[in-house]
């Protein structure tokens, strides 16, 4: 079975490494089929594709779109998209457009909680001024010594109910799936184990996603526990969804999983790549 990693980030969104360096790391870890899936942004794709092809990996064009559904943030991965598709490019530009305003609001809340200078501090970690993310604030909070690591930042700050959390309206599920499909791609629900939905709400999310033409779900991801691999393998089978695998790698020493190192998908599932020529 090929080593497939269809979810990770570069410094074009909230990863720490440039796209070509992420590609080299994937190759060094034995990845055969690779997608860069930056948040709401396509600008890393040309560099990622050129590097992957030079290294002899099969490159898959990808993106991870931020969506607001049921009052929470849900991420939808798009794979095999045409990154020059106008509607997709415009939709993502609109999705990114509120981030700077939000970042100022996050910084103001952090200042009130005793962490000054967070806007400028986060900006030092930003590779793309269009894409200021909570991850960049988390790196600044660690750098200041307020928290020992990124995970503890998100347990104490930046998350719902904690200082530095600013509610934000992202794309609709309908738009995100529509942009991906309109660009010739397939839509995959990213790390469903991360959303704190009731069973009823989760069922409704998948029902709406399927009805909109979504086809896949991440089962083996760095954002899931081993128990969640089994739980979402069952969901994939029950709902007839294709299964995906991806590390969700962001940075060395920071991410739970490195590129290409997670277990394979359970053999009973149909992978999203089952009909790709790879
Ligand atoms: P944003 O799109 O600015 O809301 O930032 C979301 C990003 O924050 C995600 O893509 C993750 O990289 C990161 N993140 C969110 N929650 C956590 C967490 N509990 N631990 C580590 N990183 C997190
Ligand atoms: Mn991220
Ligand atoms: Mn995500
Ligand atoms: Mn991700």
């Amino acid at each position: 079975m090929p080593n497939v990693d269809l979810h990770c980030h570069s410094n074009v969104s909230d990863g720490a490494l440039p796209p070509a360096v992420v590609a080299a790391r994937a190759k060094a870890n034995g990845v055969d089929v690779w997608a860069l899936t930056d948040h709401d942004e396509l600008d890393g794709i040309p560099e990622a594709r050129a590097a992957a092809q030079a290294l002899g990996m099969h490159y898959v064009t990808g993106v991870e779109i931020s969506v607001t559904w049921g009052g929470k943030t849900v991420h939808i991965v798009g794979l095999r998209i045409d990154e020059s598709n106008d509607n997709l490019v415009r939709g993502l530009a609109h999705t990114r457009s509120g981030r700077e305003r939000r970042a100022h609001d996050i910084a103001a809340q952090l200042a009130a909680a005793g962490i000054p200078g967070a806007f400028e501090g986060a900006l030092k970690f930003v590779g793309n001024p269009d894409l200021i993310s909570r991850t960049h604030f988390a790196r600044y909070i660690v750098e200041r010594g307020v928290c020992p690591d990124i995970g503890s930042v998100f347990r104490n700050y930046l998350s719902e109910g904690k200082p530095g959390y600013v509610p934000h309206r992202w794309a609709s599920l309908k738009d995100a799936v529509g942009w991906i499909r309109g660009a010739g791609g397939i839509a995959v629900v990213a790390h469903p184990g991360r959303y704190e939905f009731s069973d009823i709400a989760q069922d409704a999310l998948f029902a709406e996603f399927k009805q909109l033409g979504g086809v896949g779900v991440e089962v083996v991801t760095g954002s899931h526990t081993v128990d969640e691999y089994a739980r979402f393998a069952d969901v994939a089978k029950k709902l007839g969804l294709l299964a995906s695998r991806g590390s969700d790698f962001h940075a060395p020493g920071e991410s739970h999983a490195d590129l290409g190192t997670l277990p394979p998908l359970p053999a009973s599932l149909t992978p999203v790549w089952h009909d790709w020529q790879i």
Side-chain angles (χ1 to χ4, degrees), residues 104-180:
H104 284 291
D105 294 346
I106 291 173
Q109 279 198 25
L110 291 174
I115 306 174
F119 185 82
E120 295 73 19
L123 217 50
K124 282 189 299 175
F125 294 97
V126 168
N128 169 6
D130 246 19
L131 212 298
I132 313 179
S133 151
R134 284 185 292 162
T135 309
H136 302 116
F137 283 95
R139 291 187 184 130
Y140 171 69
I141 290 169
V142 171
E143 183 193 60
R144 279 185 68 93
V146 177
C147 292
D149 54 45
I150 300 280
S152 94
V153 174
F154 278 98
R155 282 191 294 279
N156 294 288
Y157 300 93
L158 306 176
S159 302
E160 209 172 329
K162 301 288 157 68
Y165 180 73
V166 175
H168 196 74
R169 174 69 73 104
W170 303 108
S172 70
L173 184 64
K174 182 166 187 259
D175 281 346
V177 175
W179 297 333
I180 291 166

Side-chain angles (χ1 to χ4, degrees), residues 7 39 64 75 191 194 248:
H7 188 147
H39 297 284
E64 180 176 20
H75 287 171
H191 45 60
R194 282 243 305 256
D248 209 355

